């Protein structure tokens, strides 16, 4: 049995909570959810075709680890700061900027997961209020719709 958890548990009840977050555009076209946020590992495909939401965001929570591992290639042989500087400067500006953007995205993903208190992946957050753990996006949508019809 999969669990639908309010982001801020109140006696284990599934009730809407007034958690404030970044402003999200309201849905104008038959949308089921104002926002859907998926927290998943890099390399795991996320099927967004069944999500009826104007705002779907996918956060790869291990992106920073992947980038750091890639950037660390060859660093084990370096013994001085000068050698490290030389290795870094041997990369093109475009390549360095690319990794800089990936690292910023990795930190942003972790901060977002921390904001919602995400403790494991996969996790799907609906409307900044509810999180479903351990399900793919299509299954999480199905569970959320079922919970809404029961309330």
């Amino acid at each position: 049995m999969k669990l639908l958890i309010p982001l801020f548990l109140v006696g284990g009840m599934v009730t809407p909570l007034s958690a404030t977050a970044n402003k999200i555009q309201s849905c104008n076209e038959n949308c089921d959810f104002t926002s859907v946020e998926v927290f998943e590992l890099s390399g795991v495909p996320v099927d967004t075709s069944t999500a009826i939401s104007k705002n779907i965001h996918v956060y790869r929570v291990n992106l920073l680890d992947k980038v750091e591992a890639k950037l660390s290639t060859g660093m084990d042989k370096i013994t001085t700061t000068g050698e490290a500087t030389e290795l870094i400067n041997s990369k093109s500006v475009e390549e360095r900027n690319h990794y800089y953007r990936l690292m910023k995205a990795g930190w942003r993903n972790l901060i977002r997961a921390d904001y919602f208190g995400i403790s494991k992946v996969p996790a799907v957050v609906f409307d900044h209020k509810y999180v479903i753990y351990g399900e793919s996006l299509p299954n999480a949508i199905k569970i959320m719709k079922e919970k809404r019809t029961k309330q």
Side-chain angles (χ1 to χ4, degrees):
M1 180 175 140
K2 299 303 175 182
L3 195 56
L4 174 70
I5 304 172
L7 287 178
F8 302 98
L9 287 172
V10 179
M13 299 296 295
V14 179
T15 56
L17 300 173
S18 59
T20 59
N22 295 341
K23 289 185 179 180
I24 296 291
Q25 300 172 345
S26 60
C27 187
N28 299 325
E29 311 162 357
N30 296 332
C31 293
D32 291 331
F33 309 104
T34 304
S35 69
V36 177
E37 298 180 73
V38 182
F39 295 86
E40 187 57 90
L41 298 175
S42 297
V44 177
V46 176
D47 177 10
T48 60
S49 64
T50 60
I52 302 174
S53 173
K54 198 169 193 175
N55 298 292
I56 301 172
H57 302 281
V58 178
Y59 299 95
R60 304 297 183 167
V61 295
N62 67 333
L63 178 61
L64 196 58
D65 293 336
K66 297 275 186 185
V67 174
E68 287 177 349
K70 179 71 173 166
L71 290 175
S72 296
T73 304
M75 294 296 268
D76 55 339
K77 300 172 189 151
I78 293 178
T79 58
T80 67
T81 305
E83 290 174 341
T85 303
E86 187 177 314
L87 179 65
I88 292 168
N89 289 336
S90 69
K91 303 197 183 303
S92 70
V93 172
E94 292 82 18
E95 186 177 4
R96 285 184 275 167
N97 286 339
H98 169 73
Y99 286 117
Y100 174 73
R101 285 189 299 275
L102 285 176
M103 289 189 78
K104 278 178 43 178
W107 278 110
R108 193 176 322 118
N109 294 352
L110 289 176
I111 290 167
R112 193 68 177 168
D114 183 63
Y115 173 83
F116 286 119
I118 300 299
S119 58
K120 57 187 172 182
V121 293
V124 182
V125 177
F126 293 95
D127 297 337
H128 298 235
K129 296 179 183 178
Y130 302 102
V131 61
I132 296 177
Y133 288 103
E135 289 290 344
S136 66
L137 179 57
N139 289 342
I141 289 170
K142 181 180 173 189
I143 292 167
M144 188 66 192
K145 285 180 179 179
E146 289 171 3
K147 292 291 182 181
R148 279 189 170 173
T149 58
K150 290 179 183 179
Q151 290 182 346

